[in-house]
Amino acid sequence: AAYGVLLAVERLPRRARWLATAAVAACALWETFAPASLPPAGRRPATLAAYRVQPSARAEALARRVPDGAVLDLPLSFDATGKLVDMPHYVLLAAYHRQPAAACYNSFRTPLQFELAELAQRLPDPAAAEALHALGFRNLVLHRRRLGEAALQRLAPLLHDPSHAVEVAQADDMVLYELRSPHETSHAPELLAAPPGGALAETSGALPLAITRPSATLDVVFVNRGATSFRHPTLEPSQLELRWRDARGDVVATSQARALLPMALAPGATTRREIPIDVPEAIASGPYTVELAPAERPELTLARRSVVVGQARAVDAASGSSTASSSSLGLVSP
């Protein structure tokens, strides 16, 4: 309503704007405090119909059998259908099993929920199942009608692998599985440590990334090189130190960045991160290797990325748009 009033009065002369605003305010006060004087046509009866949303007795019994551990309901999606159709049902079931759940209805969006949905969509990949287990998920509930036959067939390799999933119970269209992993879980950041290498050593396998000042997005790959699953200890963004090495391997500048490291990684698994960074003004144009390390442990290199720093962006005074030399634009990769 406020935007409608703004649209109606913003182009009026100053005095007319004051008069129109006062008239709207007076009408609002009249409607609020003198409802009996409204015309009868302005009121219409509304009929409310109640219906039961309690799950069936069988579904309730299954929910009450869920053992300790977080619950992952499938399908899991935070798109419109997932939020409006699936999530309310999952949250209702959570009232009976009373375990932490991936489902969340009508909440603010966070990066964590989209990573969780991505892990769920990667199933039956064993690495995704082990990452979910490392995050604390011990129960998998399949809602067969919502999943559909094609998705159930796709998940079959996981469901028939006793090292990762064991059926516990069925009720209505739901099947409860225990989620397992053959690996231990560790919070040690050393699992992500990059191997020692020369000035242009790279973990991402991509060609150098072309970037320009004053800021850029660094495309980085993290790898779990340990024999145990990695789990982020806090699931909060970390303060990172970036070391800029020139072609000879000398550190010519350092900078800071804040980013969310991988939530969880199975042994041997990889994941990509796009990390916003500031490009130091002190360095010249040319090739560099950027090393990422925790700010509290700068000696521990977690990942490396080869970049080529191009010319700084120039702002077109007439259009207000920024431009850069052709050699400094885009991601140079296969």
Side-chain angles (χ1 to χ4, degrees):
Y3 280 116
V5 172
L6 176 64
L7 182 64
V9 305
E10 64 180 350
R11 292 179 176 83
L12 296 176
R14 181 180 179 85
R15 184 180 297 274
R17 284 205 305 271
W18 281 104
L19 292 174
T21 303
V24 170
C27 291
L29 290 171
W30 171 72
E31 182 179 10
T32 302
F33 295 106
S37 62
L38 289 176
R43 300 177 182 176
R44 292 176 175 83
T47 302
L48 300 179
Y51 60 94
R52 297 184 64 85
V53 294
Q54 181 178 355
S56 69
R58 285 169 49 84
E60 180 181 338
L62 183 144
R64 295 188 185 279
R65 287 189 57 184
V66 172
D68 290 342
V71 177
L72 177 68
D73 295 273
L74 293 183
L76 184 72
S77 172
F78 291 94
D79 60 13
T81 300
K83 289 192 297 183
L84 298 177
V85 178
D86 296 334
M87 296 300 175
H89 182 60
Y90 301 162
V91 172
L92 176 64
L93 291 174
Y96 294 91
H97 62 62
R98 299 188 179 184
Q99 298 298 322
C104 184
Y105 176 68
N106 205 23
S107 182
F108 294 104
R109 296 184 177 186
T110 72
L112 297 179
Q113 71 186 49
F114 293 106
E115 291 204 24
L116 193 56
E118 182 183 358
L119 283 173
Q121 291 164 6
R122 282 175 48 197
L123 295 173
D125 180 3
E130 290 172 18
L132 290 165
H133 186 275
L135 288 170
F137 289 95
R138 298 295 182 269
N139 301 288
L140 185 67
V141 179
L142 304 186
H143 300 263
R144 290 180 291 192
R145 280 199 298 268
R146 287 173 165 81
L147 275 168
E149 191 60 34
L152 289 171
Q153 291 294 330
R154 179 175 58 83
L155 291 170
L158 171 69
L159 305 179
H160 296 150
D161 179 3
S163 66
H164 287 106
V166 174
E167 184 176 330
V168 176
Q170 296 190 29
D172 297 344
D173 73 322
M174 299 188 303
V175 188
L176 171 64
Y177 286 85
E178 176 190 355
L179 196 61
R180 297 178 173 181
S181 172
H183 299 104
E184 299 291 331
T185 299
S186 172
H187 300 304
E190 288 82 3
L191 293 173
L192 306 182
L200 295 179
E202 183 94 48
T203 61
S204 65
L207 294 177
L209 175 66
I211 61 176
T212 58
R213 300 182 187 86
S215 60
T217 299
L218 202 62
D219 180 30
V220 180
V221 171
F222 292 92
V223 183
N224 180 357
R225 294 181 172 81
T228 61
S229 295
F230 170 78
R231 182 192 184 278
H232 196 292
T234 64
L235 298 182
E236 296 178 355
S238 302
Q239 195 68 28
L240 302 175
E241 178 179 284
L242 279 62
R243 294 187 295 270
W244 298 73
R245 295 185 181 273
D246 61 15
R248 296 178 298 179
D250 299 329
V251 177
V252 294
T254 60
S255 59
Q256 301 292 317
R258 185 170 173 82
L260 181 66
L261 296 177
M263 292 199 312
L265 274 180
T270 65
T271 189
R272 285 187 176 273
R273 279 290 186 278
E274 292 186 349
I275 300 177
I277 64 169
D278 294 324
V279 181
E281 291 290 341
I283 63 175
S285 300
Y288 294 90
T289 295
V290 183
E291 296 180 341
L292 283 74
E296 69 277 9
R297 296 188 58 185
E299 78 284 354
L300 179 63
T301 301
L302 301 179
R304 295 184 179 90
R305 188 66 166 97
S306 293
V307 302
V308 176
V309 178
Q311 299 177 5
R313 297 186 184 94
V315 177
D316 186 336
S319 64
S321 62
S322 62
T323 59
S325 63
S326 59
S327 62
S328 64
L329 293 174
L331 171 63
V332 183
S333 61

